[in-house]
Amino acid sequence: MRAIYLFKRDLRLEDNRGLCEASKNYKEIIPVFIFDPQIINQLKAQGKRLYYVLRAVEELSKGIKLYCFYERTEEAIRKVIRLSKAKALYTTSSYSWEGRERNEVIKRVCSEEGVKFVEVFDGFLVRPELVEPKKVYTHFYKEWLTHIDLQQCNTEDFIVPELPLPKLQDIREKLPVEHYDTFDPQECKKRLESYQFENYEKVRDYPALDLTSKLSPCIRFGIVSIREVFQKSYGRNEQFVKELAWREFWYHIALHFPQTRDLEFQEKRRGIRWENREDYLKAFLSGKTGYPFVDAGIRQLIEEKWLHNRMRMVLASFLTKVLLIDWRFGEVFFIEHLLDYDHVVNVGNWQWSASVGADPKPFRLFNPILQAQKYDPECTYIKKYLPELASLPCEWLQNPLKYKLPYYKPVVDYYERIKLAKERYIGHVPYPDSQGRTYEL
Ligand code: FAD
């Protein structure tokens, strides 16, 4: 008896619960990966991100005979079912908005073709539905810790039947990829083995040090098992574990508050009067805001398709609270560039940064001048990404409002703009908070 195994965000053979489950029940497995052009286009997945996925699939197919398609999921699945005469299709359950829709399509095709559809939970340490609905992260985290399930699995032996279906080499040339080597999926395991989790908290805030784990693409595409990531880090650094929980918190929010896919989590902050000025947006998207710290972040994102977390927060705060541009524009900008782009996590973080999301805090500001002074004290980060400014004194680069730089003029005056932003947020939030505090980090 045969079953199909459809790989999605679980591009690994070790501790892959879906594959383990399929192999327990079926002696013959047909492993499949689908490059769905609709998904690729929806994500504006551009070549580099696709190249990374291709490399991950390439690695996967070194360990297993993998059938690969470059066509719509529905058509590919139907083809495999009809040709293989499989009795079941196994895949992982999905908690992203698009992933759920895709699983519904697969389920329908299976039902039309008389094949059993089995979804297996994987990819999270805790099922998002297990924690009682929570709006505040710290409450979520406490309960989340009590549910962690670390059961690892082993795949039983199985046979992959030879079928006249395409393999990776048959479709590889058709994929619109663009060479990219800033990150390579092959490094995920090594990174996990060698990362100094103990130092995480001390070093994680400094973009120039570049010493966060950089595991996000590995986790996003399931190249490493999330249980393994937890086991490697647990007891070595609690803050790191908390970051893993943030990812799961956003999935928990997406599950219980699905409207947040498009709408602000905080009802009272729907309908903020964003300015959405085209010239400001243009300056931001091209990294010409005149604030070197902000522009360095934008350059890093565009060049490397990755961005340090502090810079993600600085950029998101700048776009929304300084330029007064709707967070959705920023979210789309990140879709276009982030290698680790994950719709649920991205939306959660953008809303959080714009002070419209879950885990609300009083109006939080990331002053780009103070941020540069505190987190890039030697301007190493700025100078790396804006080498044309490397000869200028660091103090000047950190504060373009005080020093006139031979560079783009600051697009706005930060201090003027935050006054305006505060006005715009008034009526949407109790501001300042009940103790009269505002937050400037
Ligand atoms: P580390 O600091 O080493 O953290 C370890 C892991 O914890 C990360 O790999 C990631 O899986 C998880 N994690 C860390 N911080 C967060 C967080 N704030 N929210 C959720 N999970 C987190 N992360 C994405 O994976 N995809 C996105 O699309 C994404 N968009 C973001 C947008 C904005 C505006 C902001 C502020 C953050 C966003 N993040 C996103 C979260 C975070 O910036 C990245 O996960 C992190 O920078 C990845 O680098 P790292 O692997 O070195 O992280």
Side-chain angles (χ1 to χ4, degrees):
M1 292 252 278
R2 288 174 174 176
I4 297 162
Y5 187 71
L6 178 63
F7 285 95
K8 291 185 314 215
R9 291 181 174 203
D10 55 336
L11 301 179
R12 66 178 188 284
L13 295 175
E14 267 173 49
D15 191 28
N16 181 323
R17 283 187 176 174
L19 191 61
C20 289
E21 198 57 32
S23 71
K24 253 191 235 154
N25 296 298
Y26 290 85
K27 278 280 147 255
E28 289 192 17
I29 306 280
I30 301 140
V32 171
F33 184 81
I34 303 169
F35 292 91
D36 185 326
Q38 200 188 24
I39 300 174
I40 294 171
N41 295 337
Q42 249 173 20
L43 288 172
K44 299 183 191 75
Q46 1 63 35
K48 291 184 175 163
R49 187 181 153 95
L50 190 59
Y51 185 81
Y52 184 85
V53 177
L54 168 65
R55 284 281 306 113
V57 172
E58 235 165 29
E59 285 305 309
L60 182 67
S61 59
K62 283 182 189 163
I64 193 169
K65 199 195 298 168
L66 186 66
Y67 294 105
C68 287
F69 292 81
Y70 179 39
E71 64 184 278
R72 295 288 306 278
T73 299
E74 179 168 350
E75 285 146 25
I77 293 294
R78 215 180 281 284
K79 240 182 233 172
V80 186
I81 293 177
R82 290 188 181 171
L83 218 140
S84 67
K85 311 239 175 330
K87 294 286 175 240
L89 183 147
Y90 283 72
T91 194
T92 48
S93 39
S94 190
Y95 289 89
S96 70
W97 298 296
E98 292 81 3
R100 281 162 164 259
E101 288 161 8
R102 189 177 185 214
N103 269 9
E104 281 307 309
V105 169
I106 300 166
K107 190 172 167 187
R108 176 177 50 75
V109 175
C110 285
S111 143
E112 286 167 4
E113 299 292 329
V115 163
K116 191 164 100 173
F117 173 72
V118 186
E119 280 182 291
V120 182
F121 172 76
D122 199 358
F124 298 93
L125 291 157
V126 175
R127 284 176 190 271
E129 63 269 35
L130 267 186
V131 179
E132 287 293 304
K134 298 279 185 305
K135 297 180 175 180
V136 176
Y137 167 80
T138 43
H139 302 163
F140 168 84
Y141 178 65
K142 263 192 212 146
E143 197 183 324
W144 176 83
L145 276 176
T146 66
H147 290 290
I148 286 179
D149 164 14
L150 293 175
Q151 189 76 45
Q152 296 209 356
C153 73
N154 287 316
T155 313
E156 307 280 325
D157 286 343
F158 60 83
I159 297 162
V160 179
E162 192 61 53
L163 294 168
L165 291 170
K167 308 237 174 61
L168 188 57
Q169 65 266 27
D170 302 315
I171 59 150
R172 198 183 193 288
E173 295 309 314
K174 297 180 196 148
L175 296 170
V177 295
E178 206 183 313
H179 184 78
Y180 172 77
D181 55 15
T182 311
F183 283 84
D184 187 333
Q186 242 186 318
E187 287 163 12
C188 288
K189 265 286 204 199
K190 272 186 251 159
R191 199 177 281 285
L192 184 58
E193 295 299 333
S194 60
Y195 186 65
Q196 301 293 311
F197 291 98
E198 290 81 2
N199 296 338
Y200 178 70
E201 223 166 327
K202 268 185 256 148
V203 294
R204 70 176 182 135
D205 275 319
Y206 301 92
L209 292 182
D210 202 18
L211 284 176
T212 59
S213 73
K214 294 193 165 178
L215 283 169
S216 53
C218 313
I219 294 174
R220 165 65 179 81
F221 296 107
I223 297 164
V224 291
S225 144
I226 193 69
R227 292 170 286 283
E228 205 185 335
V229 178
F230 181 86
Q231 275 168 333
K232 288 265 167 353
S233 54
Y234 188 68
R236 293 171 72 188
N237 196 296
E238 196 193 351
Q239 188 56 45
F240 188 88
V241 171
K242 284 184 174 167
E243 300 306 327
L244 298 179
W246 268 108
R247 172 174 168 266
E248 304 208 2
F249 176 63
W250 295 126
Y251 273 91
H252 173 82
I253 293 290
L255 179 75
H256 291 294
F257 307 95
Q259 70 278 19
T260 54
R261 178 179 186 165
D262 306 302
L263 276 180
E264 287 80 358
F265 177 89
Q266 296 180 43
E267 281 175 42
K268 61 190 173 195
R269 285 191 176 172
R270 292 179 192 158
I272 288 176
R273 281 183 304 121
W274 304 107
E275 248 182 25
N276 294 340
R277 270 183 59 162
E278 234 174 88
D279 50 345
Y280 291 175
L281 182 60
K282 217 168 141 192
F284 181 86
L285 300 181
S286 55
K288 295 175 181 166
T289 67
Y291 286 81
F293 196 48
V294 172
D295 293 348
I298 294 166
R299 288 233 195 137
Q300 179 182 21
L301 177 62
I302 294 175
E303 284 165 20
E304 297 178 3
K305 306 295 165 202
W306 191 82
L307 189 61
H308 190 279
N309 181 58
R310 176 139 304 269
M311 300 313 299
R312 296 187 202 206
M313 295 191 291
V314 168
L315 260 51
S317 174
F318 192 84
L319 185 77
T320 54
K321 290 166 184 163
V322 181
L323 299 183
L324 276 168
I325 291 175
D326 192 327
W327 60 271
R328 293 169 189 83
F329 284 96
E331 206 260 324
V332 170
F333 181 50
F334 276 22
I335 297 178
E336 287 169 11
H337 292 288
L338 273 183
L339 176 67
D340 63 22
Y341 168 71
D342 177 320
H343 194 177
V344 169
V345 175
N346 199 44
V347 163
N349 276 293
W350 268 96
Q351 290 203 16
W352 182 90
S353 302
S355 300
V356 300
D359 194 54
K361 293 275 181 298
F363 195 66
R364 177 188 263 130
L365 287 166
F366 284 74
N367 177 334
I369 297 165
L370 299 183
Q371 289 283 310
Q373 289 166 346
K374 187 163 177 194
Y375 296 110
D376 193 20
E378 313 285 329
C379 292
T380 320
Y381 182 77
I382 295 178
K383 291 182 180 182
K384 177 172 179 193
Y385 292 99
L386 302 179
E388 68 272 31
L389 302 182
S391 61
L392 297 177
C394 180
E395 203 188 336
W396 295 18
L397 298 177
Q398 289 163 334
N399 192 345
L401 295 180
K402 186 166 171 196
Y403 302 98
K404 199 166 178 303
L405 305 177
Y407 182 60
Y408 304 101
K409 192 169 161 269
V411 64
V412 289
D413 179 319
Y414 170 78
Y415 297 100
E416 300 277 314
R417 296 292 293 182
I418 54 164
K419 279 190 224 147
L420 185 61
K422 285 171 183 175
E423 278 167 31
R424 295 282 169 107
Y425 274 76
I426 287 174
H428 298 280
V429 278
Y431 176 81
D433 77 351
S434 51
Q435 282 110 47
R437 291 172 307 185
T438 61
Y439 282 70
E440 184 137 352
L441 301 175

